Amino acid sequence: MRALTEKDIRSSFINCSKGEAKRLTVPRDLEGRPWDDLDFLGWGDPGAPDRSYLVVERQDRLVGVAMRFQPAQRGFFHRSMCSLCLTTHPRGGVALMTARKSGPAGREGNSVGAYMCTDLACSLYLRGLKEPETGARFEESLTLEEQIERTRSNLFAFIDKL
């Protein structure tokens, strides 16, 4: 992924107003992000722990999505799998991320959801640059490039529903 600026990020959101995009918290460490290893930029809002955001480049256009989630209340031995990167995590490592639809449907309260890593570090898990806390990645016969393509396809399918 190419390096993004705050202006790039704020102008990319498809499911919130310009005012909401202007007020959301953008990561302060943009210069330090491993851009070459990211398939999308994802982050949580430190001021609102139930909010997360992601920005992905698609067909030479940035697409940003604002999402909400409920922290998991599962037991210690419960594991969940991210629907994007297929990494498993214990207790709160995966959550149902819901995003308000864009346009009139979103104004009526319609939303879509997908189970995702709560830290949105799917790209790093795929590449082995981050290990899930006592979770795991299944050994796959797909190449890294095929796994990346599958993750991007899963993300695009989620975005297409918006």
Side-chain angles (χ1 to χ4, degrees):
M1 180 170 199
R2 67 179 172 94
L4 302 178
T5 65
E6 182 175 341
K7 183 180 178 183
D8 293 334
I9 292 168
R10 292 191 188 282
S11 64
S12 70
F13 284 90
I14 61 169
N15 69 335
C16 63
S17 70
K18 288 181 182 179
E20 290 170 321
K22 185 177 179 180
R23 290 186 300 272
L24 65 83
T25 303
V26 174
R28 299 197 186 282
D29 64 343
L30 291 176
E31 307 82 35
R33 294 284 172 137
W35 295 106
D36 291 339
D37 294 318
L38 295 181
D39 304 305
F40 64 90
L41 174 64
W43 73 98
D45 188 333
D50 65 333
R51 293 184 189 175
S52 290
Y53 310 98
L54 67 83
V55 177
V56 65
E57 195 166 12
R58 186 174 190 193
Q59 299 171 346
D60 297 325
R61 179 176 167 243
L62 291 176
V63 178
V65 178
M67 303 177 294
R68 290 183 176 260
F69 69 96
Q70 289 291 324
Q73 302 296 325
R74 306 282 179 158
F76 180 75
F77 295 107
H78 185 270
R79 293 192 180 285
S80 297
M81 180 183 285
C82 173
S83 64
L84 300 182
C85 66
L86 307 186
T87 300
T88 62
H89 296 272
R91 26 182 216 290
V94 171
L96 177 62
M97 302 279 189
T98 57
R100 184 175 63 209
K101 288 185 136 194
S102 59
R107 288 189 290 277
E108 291 176 9
N110 295 329
S111 62
V112 296
Y115 286 94
M116 298 181 198
C117 298
T118 54
D119 62 3
L120 296 170
C122 298
S123 302
L124 303 179
Y125 292 128
L126 285 176
R127 291 164 175 82
L129 300 174
K130 186 171 183 179
E131 292 292 321
E133 177 194 330
T134 67
R137 294 238 346 115
F138 293 105
E139 190 171 322
E140 296 190 60
S141 60
L142 298 177
T143 66
L144 176 59
E145 290 75 25
E146 291 169 328
Q147 291 177 50
I148 291 168
E149 183 55 37
R150 179 188 58 208
T151 299
R152 290 179 56 83
S153 294
N154 292 342
L155 178 57
F156 293 157
F158 171 70
I159 289 171
D160 287 343
K161 295 175 187 172
L162 296 173

